[in-house]
Amino acid sequence: MRTWQIGSVRVTQVVEWRGAFPPSFFFEGMTPEQVQVHRWLRPHFAHADGRLIASIHCFVIESEGRRVVVDTCVGNDKPRKVPMWDRLQTTFLTDFEQAGFAPKSIDTVLCTHLHVDHVGWNTRWVNGRWSPTFVNARYLFGRLEYEHWSLAREASNQQAMVDSVQPVIDAGLVQWVETDHVLTSEVRLEPTPGHTPGHASVRIRSQGHEAVITGDLMHHPVQCCEPDRATRFDVDPEMARLTRRRFLAEQADRNVLVLGTHFPEPTGGWVVSVGAAWEFSLAPQFGPD
């Protein structure tokens, strides 16, 4: 568990899973040797053998008396086509409570998009059915995002819609939002399309401090120095590339804490310009804007 203070806003990370993959799991055709060239990725983001390290976690934002869960990981007991995610049995919910967050204390759940590894703990298996985990929360689902997945035929994500999205709708807990929705005076969404059509990131501004939760506009810090690397999971790779480049250019060399939704520990850092691209720095180097 890690926490960050952005002005009066507190952000807490709760990790469900952490591991390493061959780079081709994320990026088609990428070799370990191409990862090894970027020595700054070691030891936090890549192993010496070129495997990329990644994390699945949620963030809990505390702002103006509200508790907002951003992305709900894979979830337990869910049948999934990715073997490492199939019918997981993790201690996530126990860890969540030990971090100080009873599920009943959460008033808002926000999914940056509706991919399988961002909606799982929306529900849990209770008395033979999928029931909302956060019973006192409003679940913020993007209208555009839901429309896309309601019509899409990708089998890999349809099961997630059945067991992690539809039960929340049926329970009457959903609030349909646009990609620029304002949650509090300190927290808002901003559109970052490409990975999925309705993808949104989360911008935090408080007392002169600033941070952003990426969602999946980037999956790994290697995309800072190779921003044109599209992941195998992008719905619109060209739009995702343009969004990522714009995002990196806008955050670069500023005092903006970037919290990567799949970045492994230490997860938070700053974008630094290096030649025609960028790197992900673990130490702040910039004064206030």
Side-chain angles (χ1 to χ4, degrees), residues 62-67 107:
E62 295 176 89
S63 170
E64 298 178 353
R66 294 181 64 178
R67 284 183 162 182
D107 57 72

Side-chain angles (χ1 to χ4, degrees), residues 29 37 39 48 66 68 101 108 138 170 211 215 229 243:
V37 168
R39 296 184 179 181
R66 294 181 64 178
V68 182
F101 306 109
T108 307
R138 299 298 292 174
D170 294 343
R229 285 252 182 217
T243 295

Side-chain angles (χ1 to χ4, degrees), residues 89-273:
Q89 293 297 315
T90 72
T91 61
F92 174 83
L93 206 57
T94 299
D95 297 339
F96 190 88
E97 294 194 45
Q98 289 181 346
F101 306 109
K104 289 183 178 180
S105 74
I106 301 300
D107 57 72
T108 307
V109 175
L110 166 66
C111 297
T112 59
H113 61 299
L114 297 180
H115 268 162
V116 58
D117 53 327
H118 295 259
V119 300
W121 279 105
N122 285 354
T123 62
R124 53 180 166 172
W125 190 250
V126 180
N127 296 327
R129 60 182 293 184
W130 295 112
S131 300
T133 302
F134 305 100
V135 294
N136 293 324
R138 299 298 292 174
Y139 285 69
L140 307 187
F141 290 164
R143 194 183 309 275
L144 176 62
E145 184 75 0
Y146 179 75
E147 289 172 356
H148 169 78
W149 291 112
S150 296
L151 297 173
R153 294 293 177 262
E154 292 95 330
S156 62
N157 212 57
Q158 287 310 304
Q159 183 60 42
M161 297 295 288
V162 170
D163 59 39
S164 300
V165 174
Q166 192 60 46
V168 180
I169 298 173
D170 294 343
L173 298 180
V174 171
Q175 178 181 346
W176 302 103
V177 299
E178 307 304 327
T179 54
D180 59 355
H181 180 73
V182 177
L183 285 84
T184 74
S185 68
E186 302 169 307
V187 182
R188 67 178 301 146
L189 301 184
E190 59 182 43
T192 46
H195 178 61
T196 63
H199 187 281
S201 300
V202 184
R203 181 73 59 174
I204 301 168
R205 293 189 177 97
S206 177
Q207 299 178 351
H209 299 272
E210 186 172 357
V212 60
I213 296 173
T214 63
D216 281 3
L217 73 87
M218 291 193 297
H219 280 72
H220 192 274
V222 73
Q223 290 175 287
C224 292
C225 54
E226 297 197 25
D228 295 331
R229 285 252 182 217
T231 73
R232 296 170 54 243
F233 315 110
D234 291 340
V235 172
D236 186 339
E238 178 59 19
M239 177 62 74
R241 183 186 71 82
L242 294 172
T243 295
R244 187 163 45 254
R245 278 193 164 273
R246 182 181 71 249
F247 174 85
L248 289 165
E250 289 175 351
Q251 314 322 309
D253 309 324
R254 298 175 53 221
N255 191 25
V256 178
L257 176 66
V258 175
L259 298 171
T261 296
H262 287 302
F263 290 12
E265 187 179 354
T267 304
W270 290 262
V271 177
V272 181
S273 296

